[in-house]
C-alpha cells in the first residue's frame, strides 16, 4: 500500500530550472510512467522521489509521510537503474541479498526471498554467477530481482530497458507488465520511449522543459492530447500538423491553408468559431487518413502528391505534400501507388485536432 | 544481396626475408628482440656481474678471486647488517601503512566536487614532483638540531623547553625519515587511488544507498573491494621503491646516527663504495633480492586472485 504525491515540486541546478512546479498524485498499485525528451526533467523527478537528489522547493509524500529530508534507505523504495548498477564483485545472489543484509534480515528469510524472486524472473541457474558473466537481459533481470526481494512500497525504474536491443526490449516490456500485475506494487517508470509509456503505463505523465504537459491514461493522451507537444510526442508515426487559418465559409468554420481546406465538425466547430480569423495548427494522425471514397463528405477531402512510398508489409506509409504541408498517411498494404502520384484522400472528421498557434494548447 | 568476397589480399612481392615475418613465430621474435636486448644489457648482465662480485674478494683497485659464500657468511654475523634488515622492514612497513591510509583518505576527499578541484589536485602532486634530493635537503633544514623550524615552532607554542635532537637520536632519526617518506609518497597513492575511485560508477553508491548501506558500509562493501586491484598495484610499486630507497636516507642521515637508520641500499653503498669493500657491498645489495622476490611474488599472486574474482 503506497501512494506517492508530489506537490509544487521544483529542482534547480545552479541557474537551470529543471523541474517546475510538478503536482502529481500517484495512486496505490498504479504504474505511472514519466515520458518526455531528454532533458525534460523526468529522471530528476524520479531521483527526487528516490532521495538521490535534493528537493529545491515543494514536497514529496509517500503515503502520508513527507519524505523531503528522509534518506533513500529509509524511504522503503527500490530502484532499477539504467545501467543496472549491479555490484560487479558480488555474485547474483549476493547482489540480491545486499539490501536485506544491510537491513539485518535473517539468513533463512533472505534465502527464501532470493529463491522466490529468482523463480519469478527465471534466473535460478544464474545465482552463483558474477554480473560480468551475464548478458544484458540477464543483468536486467538481476537488477529487477534486487528490487523485488526488498518488497518495497514503491518501485522506481530509470529507463531500465534503454540498454537492451530492440527485440529484447519488447520482450522485457511484456515481462515488466506481467510482473507489475503479479506484484501489484506502486511503480514509477521513466522512459523517453513513448511506446514503452503507452504499453506499460496505467497513466502517463508527459513532460517537457521541466513542466508537466499532460497526465492521463495512454488512450486519453492519444485521443485528446492537451497540446501540440503531447499530440506530436505520443503516437508513431507522429501526428501530422498543418498551419491553417480559421475562417468562415458559408456560415461554417473551416481550417484553411494553401491547397488544403478542411471543414470542422460538431463541437470542434463551436470551439473554433470563437477564434475565427486566427492562426491555428491542424492535427491529424496518419492512421486517420484514407483514400477518399464517394461516401466521404467533400469538406473532409483533399488532394496530395505522393513523394515517398514506405512499404512496411502490414501497412504503407505515404509521405506526401499537401499544399505547403508535409504529411504522412498510413494506408492499406494492398494499395498500388507510386511516387509522384496525385491522390484524393479523406480524413476522419471526428479525429481532427486543432491547436492554438500561439499557446499550442488544444482548441 | 550477394555477398561479394573481399578482394583476396594481393600477395605483394615481399623480399624472402620479410616474408618470413608472416610466420608468427618469426614476427614474435623480431618484435621481442629490442626489449630482450635492452633488458639483457642493462638488467640481466649487471645483475649477473653483481652476483659474481658478491662471490669474490674484490676491493677497490683489487680484482679479487672467487671466495664462494664467504661474504654472505660475513654479513650474516654483522650486527649492523641485522639492524639494516630490521630497519628496512620497519621503514617499508610503517610508511606503506601510513601512505595507504592517508593517500586513500585524500583520494576520497578529492573525489568530491568542490571549487578549485583541478588546482588542488595539481598541488597535491608537488611533493612527488620535486626531486627527492632537493625536498630532502629542505626537510634536513627543518630537522636541523640548531635551526630546526619545527623546534622553533614547538618552542614558541610552549610545548617544549629544550631542543629536540631529531636526527641525533636513533629512534627520532628513524621517525624523521619515515615522516619524510610518507610526505613524499602520499601524493602517488592519492592520485592513483583517485583514478581508481573515478572508475567506480556513482550509480553503485546510489544503489547501495537505496539498499540501506550507510556511508561507512558503502565504503566497506562497494568502494574498498572495487578499489582493491588498484590498491594492490600501488602498494606493490610503493613497497618495491621504499624497500630499495636510497636518496632520502643518504641525504638525511647518511645511515646514522651510529648506523641506526641504514637501509639495504645505503649500507651497501657505504660498505661497497665508502670503504671500498666492493664484494661485501654487492653481497648486501643481493641480500635484498630474496626478500623483495618473496614480497613481489606474494603480491602478484594476490593481485591475480583479486582480478579474476
Amino acid at each position: 500500500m503506497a501512494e506517492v504525491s508530489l506537490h509544487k515540486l521544483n529542482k534547480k541546478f545552479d541557474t537551470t530550472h529543471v523541474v517546475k512546479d510538478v503536482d502529481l498524485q500517484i495512486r496505490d498499485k498504479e504504474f505511472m510512467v514519466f515520458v518526455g525528451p531528454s532533458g525534460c526533467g523526468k529522471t530528476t523527478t524520479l531521483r527526487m522521489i528516490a532521495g538521490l537528489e535534493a528537493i529545491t522547493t515543494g514536497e514529496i509524500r509517500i503515503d502520508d509521510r513527507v519524505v523531503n529530508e528522509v534518506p533513500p534507505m529509509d524511504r522503503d523504495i527500490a530502484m532499477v537503474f539504467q545501467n543496472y548498477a549491479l555490484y560487479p564483485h558480488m555474485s547474483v545472489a549476493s547482489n540480491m541479498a545486499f539490501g536485506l543484509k544491510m537491513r539485518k534480515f535473517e539468513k533463512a528469510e533472505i534465502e527464501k526471498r532470493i529463491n522466490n524472486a529468482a523463480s519469478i524472473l527465471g534466473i535460478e541457474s544464474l545465482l552463483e554467477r558474477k554480473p560480468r558473466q551475464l548478458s544484458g537481459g540477464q543483468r536486467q533481470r538481476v537488477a529487477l530481482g534486487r528490487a523485488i526481494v526488498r518488497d518495497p512500497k514503491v518501485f522506481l525504474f530509470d529507463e531500465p530497458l534503454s540498454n537492451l536491443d530492440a527485440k529484447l526490449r519488447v520482450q522485457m516490456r511484456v515481462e515488466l507488465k506481467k510482473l507489475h500485475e503479479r506484484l501489484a506494487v506502486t511503480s514509477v517508470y521513466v522512459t523517453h520511449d513513448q511506446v514503452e509509456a503507452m504499453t506499460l503505463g496505467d497513466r502517463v505523465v508527459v513532460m517537457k522543459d521541466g513542466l508537466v504537459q499532460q497526465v492521463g491514461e495512454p488512450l486519453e493522451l492519444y485521443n485528446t492530447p492537451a497540446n501540440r507537444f503531447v499530440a506530436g510526442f505520443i503516437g508513431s508515426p507522429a501526428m501530422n500538423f498543418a498551419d491553417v487559418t480559421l475562417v468562415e465559409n458559408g456560415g461554417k468554420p473551416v481550417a484553411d491553408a494553401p491547397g488544403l481546406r478542411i471543414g470542422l465538425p460538431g463541437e470542434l466547430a463551436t470551439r473554433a468559431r470563437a477564434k475565427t480569423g486566427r492562426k491555428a495548427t491542424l492535427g491529424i494522425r496518419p492512421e486517420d487518413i484514407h483514400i477518399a471514397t464517394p461516401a466521404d463528405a467533400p469538406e473532409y477531402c483533399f488532394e496530395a502528391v505522393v513523394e515517398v512510398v514506405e512499404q512496411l508489409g502490414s501497412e504503407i506509409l505515404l509521405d506526401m505534400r499537401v499544399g505547403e504541408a508535409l504529411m504522412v498517411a498510413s494506408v492499406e498494404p494492398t494499395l498500388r501507388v507510386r511516387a509522384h502520384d496525385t491522390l484524393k484522400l479523406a480524413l476522419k472528421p471526428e479525429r481532427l485536432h486543432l491547436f492554438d498557434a500561439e499557446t499550442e494548447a488544444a482548441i | 544481396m550477394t555477398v561479394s568476397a573481399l578482394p583476396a589480399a594481393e600477395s605483394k612481392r615481399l623480399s624472402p626475408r620479410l616474408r618470413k615475418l608472416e610466420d608468427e613465430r618469426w614476427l614474435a621474435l623480431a618484435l621481442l628482440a629490442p626489449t630482450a636486448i635492452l633488458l639483457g644489457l642493462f638488467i640481466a648482465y649487471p645483475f649477473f656481474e653483481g652476483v659474481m662480485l658478491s662471490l669474490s674478494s674484490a676491493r677497490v683497485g683489487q680484482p679479487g678471486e672467487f671466495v664462494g659464500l664467504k661474504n654472505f657468511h660475513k654479513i650474516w654475523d654483522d650486527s649492523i647488517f641485522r639492524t639494516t634488515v630490521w630497519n628496512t622492514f620497519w621503514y617499508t612497513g610503517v610508511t606503506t601503512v601510513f601512505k595507504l591510509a592517508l593517500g586513500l583518505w585524500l583520494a576520497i576527499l578529492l573525489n568530491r566536487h568542490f571549487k578549485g578541484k583541478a588546482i588542488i589536485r595539481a598541488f597535491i602532486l608537488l611533493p612527488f614532483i620535486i626531486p627527492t634530493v632537493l625536498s630532502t635537503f629542505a626537510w634536513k633544514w627543518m630537522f636541523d638540531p640548531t635551526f630546526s623550524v619545527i623546534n622553533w615552532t614547538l618552542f614558541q607554542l610552549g610545548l617544549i623547553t629544550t631542543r629536540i635532537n631529531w636526527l641525533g637520536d636513533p629512534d627520532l632519526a628513524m621517525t624523521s625519515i619515515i615522516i619524510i617518506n610518507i610526505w613524499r609518497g602520499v601524493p602517488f597513492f592519492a592520485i592513483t587511488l583517485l583514478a581508481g575511485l573515478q572508475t567506480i560508477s556513482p550509480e553503485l553508491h546510489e544503489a547501495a544507498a537505496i539498499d540501506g548501506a550507510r556511508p561507512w558500509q558503502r565504503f566497506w562493501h562497494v568502494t574498498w573491494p572495487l578499489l582493491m586491484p588498484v590498491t594492490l598495484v600501488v602498494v606493490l610499486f610503493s613497497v618495491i621503491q621504499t624497500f630499495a630507497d636510497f636518496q632520502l636516507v643518504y641525504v638525511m642521515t647518511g645511515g646514522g646516527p651510529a648506523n641506526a637508520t641504514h637501509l639495504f641500499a645505503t649500507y651497501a653503498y657505504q660498505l661497497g663504495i665508502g670503504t671500498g669493500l666492493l664484494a661485501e657491498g654487492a653481497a648486501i645489495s643481493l641480500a635484498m633480492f630474496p626478500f623483495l622476490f618473496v614480497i613481489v611474488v606474494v603480491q602478484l599472486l594476490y593481485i591475480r586472485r583479486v582480478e579474476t574474482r
Side-chain angles (χ1 to χ4, degrees), chain B residues 92-105:
Chain B
T92 308
V94 173
T95 56
T96 304
V97 168
F98 274 92
K99 283 188 276 192
L100 178 59
L102 293 174
L104 185 58
W105 181 54

Side-chain angles (χ1 to χ4, degrees), chain A residues 26-180:
Chain A
I26 301 168
R27 299 167 197 143
D28 184 37
K29 296 182 182 139
E30 186 170 38
F31 201 110
M32 181 67 100
V33 178
F34 282 73
V35 68
S38 53
C40 72
K42 57 192 190 298
T43 296
T44 308
T45 307
L46 186 82
R47 289 171 59 85
M48 284 195 280
I49 299 174
L52 297 172
E53 211 74 71
I55 296 164
T56 309
T57 61
E59 199 177 83
I60 296 180
R61 287 166 182 267
I62 295 178
D63 285 337
D64 288 325
R65 171 169 167 234
V66 178
V67 295
N68 285 32
E69 302 300 327
V70 178
M73 68 180 89
D74 298 325
R75 292 192 183 193
D76 203 0
I77 49 157
M79 183 153 165
V80 178
F81 290 83
Q82 182 172 2
N83 300 315
Y84 323 126
L86 298 177
Y87 310 119
H89 55 296
M90 296 183 197
S91 68
V92 167
S94 308
N95 261 285
M96 290 169 37
F98 187 71
L100 302 175
K101 274 187 190 153
M102 289 297 114
R103 289 180 162 74
K104 306 254 182 323
F105 274 71
E106 296 274 325
K107 213 171 171 192
E109 174 68 14
I110 294 178
E111 217 160 274
K112 199 179 108 194
R113 287 190 182 203
I114 289 178
N115 290 334
N116 181 36
S119 78
I120 291 176
L121 295 163
I123 52 173
E124 296 102 320
S125 60
L126 306 177
L127 288 175
E128 293 314 313
R129 294 217 199 149
K130 291 280 165 63
R132 70 185 140 78
Q133 297 166 308
L134 305 177
S135 69
Q138 290 170 330
R139 286 179 203 186
Q140 192 51 267
R141 277 167 216 268
V142 177
L144 283 172
R146 186 168 66 178
I148 292 171
V149 293
R150 291 264 319 281
D151 190 17
K153 275 186 176 174
V154 183
F155 278 128
L156 304 176
F157 298 92
D158 183 13
E159 308 215 19
L161 305 186
S162 60
N163 281 0
L164 302 177
D165 64 57
K167 202 173 166 189
L168 203 52
R169 202 178 309 155
V170 174
Q171 191 190 330
M172 285 301 286
R173 206 167 69 201
V174 174
E175 290 194 29
L176 272 177
K177 183 108 186 156
K178 283 187 194 158
L179 193 65
H180 180 250

Side-chain angles (χ1 to χ4, degrees), chain B residues 21 26-43:
Chain B
L21 291 182
W26 287 107
L27 183 67
L29 213 60
L31 293 176
L32 283 173
T35 316
I37 291 170
L38 281 176
L39 286 178
L41 210 57
F42 294 109
I43 304 224

